[in-house]
Amino acid sequence: MKVNAERLWARLETLSEITDPDRPWTRRAFTDCYLEGRAWLKREMEAAGLTTRLDEAGNLIGSLLGSDPKLSPLVTGSHIDTVALGGRYDGILGVLAGLEAVQSLREAGITLRHSIEVIDFLSEEPSEYGVSCIGSRGMVGSLSPDMLDFREPSGERLGDAIRRMGGVPEALSAPLRRPGDLAAFVELHIEQGRVLEDRQLPIGVVSDIVGIHRYDIVVTGQADHAGTTPMDLRRDALAAAAGLIKAIQAEAYQQSLGESYLVATVGRLDVSPNASNAIPDRVGMVLEVRSNDAELLEGFFPPVLEQVQHEVWAEGIGISVTPLSEGLPTRCADAVQSHIKAAATALELGSMTMPSGAGHDAVYMAKLAPTGMLFIPCREGRSHCPEESITLKQAADGCGVLAETLLRLDQGNY
Ligand code: HGY
Ligand code: MN
Ligand code: MN
């Protein structure tokens, strides 16, 4: 199964140019720039012979009919939204390689038994509303009414933003699709780590995807003059927040030495009043904890929080925590893993089985159907930054294995 690597590469380059011009590469979900990228993708899908639709969760779905309408569709896809100052391939490769695979199948005159769908999931990256994987959560009924009421800093509700993207938030109180509505799901993604590059392997077969727990944390103290307030009279929210972050990091480091994979990060910090000569009275931060072990994931933060709250309470510091999201670790289907591995072998590409430390829409698709993921390397494992880089050959390898995997899934009894 030959794919048109040059066409894939040209699309990757064209889409990467649809970015916030001052911050390449940035195409945040829910922005005009994102809508421009979607409009381009919709045209490309239709020019490739797919029919397109937007579902109630705001996912853009391109479809190519199969020969047996009784079978549920095979589905591939990922996301074209980016983090701020992100890369050109995280998510984007999975959508455009899916489109290329389907277009190449069609041009080769191959009609699969199953219909095939290529999905661009709405807002996979953590959004300004505090939630990630919005479209894939919405598809499986995992966007709670509380989440739809989450607001971004200027006050827009997530539900209204989904409507602005063409979704129907009122329809999201129930799953849009249920187990059996998809035959199987497979997603191509860059590794976003450096294992494949270090091992000089072109393909990773994902065994499991970490669960991610995210918490919104607010540390409160008292704003005072930085020059006239003695050290023993201060209620410094930022100093307390720094202590909490240090305690989180130390505990995560300890736990990461064990059997399971665990990482914890505070990547977002909002300080008020954020003036060099005023003692901070409020610090907002977002903590995320990731692990492939559900028990470790659930049990990580509460003891750390209790310890630090106990230490700072006497100093008049408050710490409040609001859980934002709790995604569980996901096992990829053994059968899909086998198809990916066999497809790589058929194309004489070496592969290894490995976990994913990044979260993906596949976590939610796994609630509907047998799900797998395949990785290609990215230079020095860099991602979520403009230095994110792959080669045309790597993109072609990944796309070829994806196409071959779809063919094998089609012949399977899904
Ligand atoms: O953050 C992640 O794991 C993914 O890249 N959105
Ligand atoms: Mn990402
Ligand atoms: Mn991604």
Side-chain angles (χ1 to χ4, degrees), residues 78-79 81 89-92 124-125 187 189-190 192 358-361 383-384:
S78 195
H79 60 94
D81 65 300
Y89 310 105
D90 168 5
I92 299 143
E124 186 275 347
E125 298 294 358
E187 179 173 359
H189 206 284
I190 57 172
Q192 300 179 296
H360 300 284
D361 293 304
S383 181
H384 283 186

